[in-house]
Amino acid sequence: MSSRSHLRFVAILCAAPVALLAQTGRAPRRLVTTPIDEGSLHRLAGNTRPEANAQNDLGAVEDTFAMDHMLLQLQRPAETESAAAAAIDAMHNPKSATYHKWMTAAQFGAAYGPAQSDIDAVTNWLKGQGFTVNSVYPSHMTVDFSGNAGQVRQGFHTEVHHLNVHGQSHVANIRDPQVPTALAGIIRGVASMHDFKARPMKSARAKYTYTSQGYQTWALTPADLATIYNFTPLFNAGYSGAGQTIAVIEDARLYNTADWDTFRSTFGLSQYTGGSLTLVQPTASGSVACGAPGTANGDDGEATLDAEWASASAPSATIEVAACASTRTTDGAVIALVNLINSDNPPPIISISYGICEAQNGAAANALFNAAYQQATAEGISVFVAAGDEGAAACDAGEDGATHGLGVSAWASTPYNVAVGGTDFSDTYNSSNSTYWGNTNSSTYGSAVSYIPEIPWNDSCASQLLASALGFSATYGSSGLCGSSAAQQYSLLSVEAGSGGPSACATGSPDSDGIVGGSCQGFAKPSWQSGLAGIPSDGVRDIPDVSLFAGTGIWGHYYVMCFSDLRNDGAACTGDPSGWAGAGGTSFSAPIMAGIQALVNQKTNSAQGNPNYVYYQMAAGSATCDATNGDSGACIFHNVTQGDIDVNCSGSQNCYGASASTSGGGGRRRGGGGGGGAEANGALSGSSNTYSPAFAAAPGWNFATGIGSVNAANLVNNWPTASAGANNN
C-alpha cells in the first residue's frame, strides 16, 4: 500500500466516529429557526431551464394547468452532510467497523435526513399554498407534491409558460422560483417544473463509410463481447449473474418483451439458467408517483437495449426494467430512480443511460441526483451511469457543432456513481481486421477471436484518427477535415463521441445559458479518485471512470439489438442478425458494466456499493495494460492511449481553429437542414489560444476513457472479498 493510500484510509478511519455519532439518534441541527414571512423571499438560483427565454416564449399557461408530481429537493445541515459522506467512505473501507454494513432508505433518512421539524415546516407551507403533498420519501431529502400553475405562481412567484423549442412544444417555469427566506436553509430547489426530458445515450448505427472501398462491418454480438472482454472463463466457472438483479431505469416500457427472448435465444444466452425479465413500476413507501409508461417517443429502444445488453454480460441475472411515465413536470426516469431506491427491496445494481449537462440540468436537479446516488450507495447499491455521447460538449447534445464549451452530464458526474465512457476498436484504423475477426460466425454469431486494441469512440471530424485516415494533417480550420467536403459527405459534423471532462456546474448557476460560468462549481473530487497518473489536481470530480466499446459503425463496429418497433428505427428480428437493428453509444457500455458487477456480487456473495473504491485501487497496481498493445492475459484494465473525444465547434467557447467568418456562429441541430464545414470547423479545445484537444487519450487515467476498459474475468477474480464478520447484505 502506498503512503498516499495509507493516509487516505487514516483520514477515513478518523472520520468514521463522526459518522457513527449521526447513527446514534442525535437530532440534526434545525435549519428553520424563524417564522415564515411571505414578504421576505429567497430566490432558488439555478432552477430555470435555459430554453425558457423570450425567443421561445409563447405565453403563460392557464392557472388550472395541472403540475403533477413536482419534486422539492431538501438539504441537510453542513455537518450532517459531512457525516453522511464520511459514513459512506467507512462503509467501503475494509478496516472500518462499518465496512459493508449497508443501511435501508429509512435508516439512512433517520440518520442523515434534515430535522423532522424542518420537514414539517416545508410540508405545512406547501399545503398552505394549496399544494397536495403526495409523499416525503424515506430518505427525507425529497418531497413529491402536486398542484396547478396558479398555485406555482402564487406560492413560488414564477409563471409556467408554453415554449416552442426547435419546433417542439414544451412548458417550463419562466424564471427561478422563490420561497420564504425562513425556508431557504432547508429547501435546495424544485428539481423540476418543466417537461424537458434527459437524452438517451444511444446513437444510431452509422450508414456511411469513411473509405471508398465499400462498407464492411464486424458487428458486435454477445458472443463477441464475451471473447473481447474475457467473460467466457467466468461463464464456464458458473459466474453468470445467478441470484442477482440489475435494474435499468427508464421512462418507457419495452415495445415487445418477445424481443428480449429472441435476443437471448438467438445469441445463446438462454442456455444460462435463471435469467429473467421483470417489468416494474417502482413505488416507494407512501408514494403514488409512478404512472404506467408508454413507448415514450422511441425511448422503448433505450429500454430494450439496456435490458438486452445487461443480460448479455450477466445472462443468469434478473433484469428489472424499472419505468415510470413522465409527467408535465418530471422525467419518468427520475421518478423511477427515486422510487426504486426508496422502495422496500431495492436491487443491488442500477444502470442509467440518460443524461443532460450540468449547466442545463439546474442546481436543484443536480442536487437530487447527488443525494439519490449517495443514498443508493449507502444502501449498498452500485449505480452505473452512461457518461454521455457528446465528447466534452454535453450541453450541445444533438447539434452539428459545439458552441457552449466544456460540459459534462449531471446524471453521471456525482461522486456516488460509476460514469461509464465509450471506446471503439482500432483494428480498422490499423488495417488489422483479419487479426481479430474470424472468417465465419459461430452458432451464436460470434466471430471475434481475442481482445481488440481500443481507441476512444469518436464520430466527429475533430477526431485526429479520422483526420489521419482521410488524409488530413489537421482536424480544424478551413483546410482541416472539419472544413472539408469530406466532413459533410461522411456526416462527420457531429457532436458525437464518448464523453468525459471535469464537473464544473454541479452547484450554482451560469451567467449564460448552458455555458459554465457565473457561480458554477463542480462536485468535489471524491477520496477514491486518486493514485493514478493522469488524474488532474483540479479539486473536482472527473469523468469517466471506466469505458467499454460504444462505436456506431464508423470504424465498422456497432452493437446488434433485437428491437422490432419499426416506427422508431427498429427492424424485424428475423433471419440473420446482420439485418437487425444496430446502434452504439454509452447506453450500451453502462448496462454491460452493470452486468459485470452482477458477476462480482455473485462471486463475493456481497453487495458492493460504489465500485469506484475498488476500481481505482486495482488500477493503481500493476495489472493495467496499454490498450494499443492488446491484452497480455494479466490485464485488469486496458489503458487507452491513442485517439481523442474531441468534437467540432464554432463560436468562442473553448473552440480553436474556427474560421473568422463564423467565429460568432452556432452549431445547428442535426437533421435541421443546412450545415456545412464552415459552420463548425473548429475543434473543441482546453484553450482558445492553442490547440489542446478536449480530450485526448493518454497513459494513465484520462478524460477520454478514464481508467480504460476491463478484462472481466481478471476484474472479478481479483475483486477483494469482504473481511470476516462483515455484514454482506
Side-chain angles (χ1 to χ4, degrees), residues 206-215 400 459-461 466 469-472 480-494 554 648 670 674-678:
K207 296 181 175 64
Y208 52 81
T209 177
Y210 63 91
T211 70
S212 59
Q213 283 76 40
Y215 187 50
D400 286 338
D459 287 0
S460 169
C461 59
L466 279 173
L470 289 168
F472 290 85
L481 175 57
C482 291
S484 71
S485 60
Q488 301 174 61
Q489 179 182 354
Y490 302 129
S491 302
L492 302 180
L493 289 168
S494 65
I554 195 168
N648 50 292
R670 302 193 75 186

Side-chain angles (χ1 to χ4, degrees), residues 538-557:
D538 53 7
V540 297
R541 167 75 160 113
D542 296 309
I543 66 170
D545 299 303
V546 292
S547 296
L548 289 174
F549 174 76
T552 63
I554 195 168
W555 295 107
H557 309 298

Side-chain angles (χ1 to χ4, degrees), residues 6 63 85 104 116 191 207 387 437 586 595 671 674 717-718:
H6 174 71
D63 274 359
T104 66
Q116 185 60 50
K207 296 181 175 64
W437 300 91
T586 54
N717 289 328
N718 286 280

Side-chain angles (χ1 to χ4, degrees), residues 128-353:
Q129 302 302 312
F131 294 108
T132 298
V133 175
N134 300 314
S135 63
V136 178
Y137 283 99
S139 65
H140 295 174
M141 291 294 288
T142 307
V143 179
D144 181 302
F145 70 105
S146 298
N148 59 41
Q151 291 162 340
V152 167
R153 177 172 48 78
Q154 180 68 30
F156 287 96
H157 305 277
T158 186
E159 296 177 356
V160 178
H161 283 214
H162 291 290
L163 305 174
N164 184 320
V165 182
H166 294 296
Q168 296 183 343
S169 297
H170 288 280
V171 295
N173 56 296
I174 204 68
R175 57 181 175 271
D176 285 338
Q178 299 180 74
V179 296
T181 302
L183 300 177
I186 181 65
I187 295 178
R188 185 66 188 85
V190 185
S192 178
M193 280 184 171
H194 58 78
D195 65 354
F196 289 93
K197 294 169 53 181
R199 288 174 57 89
M201 298 305 173
K202 173 174 69 73
S203 294
R205 170 187 171 185
K207 296 181 175 64
Y208 52 81
T209 177
Y210 63 91
T211 70
S212 59
Q213 283 76 40
Y215 187 50
Q216 188 172 4
T217 62
W218 295 264
L220 214 70
T221 66
D224 295 322
L225 182 83
T227 296
I228 295 166
Y229 291 121
N230 204 27
F231 286 84
T232 304
L234 294 169
F235 294 167
N236 290 342
Y239 298 113
S240 54
Q244 304 301 312
T245 298
I246 304 166
V248 293
I249 301 296
E250 311 293 344
D251 67 351
R253 61 174 173 82
L254 297 176
Y255 175 71
N256 187 349
T257 58
D259 287 350
W260 190 82
D261 295 324
T262 300
F263 181 86
R264 282 178 54 87
S265 61
T266 300
F267 293 122
L269 302 176
S270 54
Q271 67 178 297
Y272 300 99
T273 59
S276 63
L277 179 69
T278 303
L279 311 179
V280 299
Q281 293 172 228
T283 302
S285 176
S287 173
V288 293
C290 189
T295 55
N297 298 321
D299 282 358
D300 54 338
E302 181 61 55
T304 298
L305 78 86
D306 288 345
E308 290 179 354
W309 281 92
S311 185
S313 57
S316 293
T318 294
I319 308 301
E320 184 176 275
V321 179
C324 294
S326 297
T327 72
R328 283 171 167 171
T329 69
T330 307
D331 192 317
V334 176
I335 296 172
L337 169 67
V338 176
N339 274 5
L340 191 65
I341 64 173
N342 284 288
S343 62
D344 292 335
N345 187 30
I349 303 167
I350 288 175
S351 176
I352 302 174
S353 292

Side-chain angles (χ1 to χ4, degrees), residues 432-508:
S432 57
N433 302 118
S434 61
T435 302
Y436 300 104
W437 300 91
N439 293 325
T440 59
N441 289 321
S442 69
S443 61
T444 55
Y445 298 96
S447 59
V449 298
S450 71
Y451 172 75
I452 305 172
E454 291 169 279
I455 55 179
W457 165 48
N458 191 346
D459 287 0
S460 169
C461 59
S463 162
Q464 293 177 332
L465 298 184
L466 279 173
S468 175
L470 289 168
F472 290 85
S473 60
T475 60
Y476 53 83
S478 58
S479 61
L481 175 57
C482 291
S484 71
S485 60
Q488 301 174 61
Q489 179 182 354
Y490 302 129
S491 302
L492 302 180
L493 289 168
S494 65
V495 180
E496 196 165 352
S499 288
S503 173
C505 200
T507 63

Side-chain angles (χ1 to χ4, degrees), residues 84-131:
I88 289 171
D89 276 344
M91 290 176 188
H92 292 83
N93 179 7
K95 295 183 179 181
S96 168
T98 57
Y99 179 60
H100 280 195
K101 291 186 177 179
W102 313 118
M103 308 174 77
T104 66
Q107 289 170 338
F108 189 70
Y112 301 110
Q116 185 60 50
S117 61
D118 288 346
I119 297 172
D120 292 342
V122 170
T123 55
N124 288 336
W125 173 76
L126 286 170
K127 293 173 183 176
Q129 302 302 312
F131 294 108

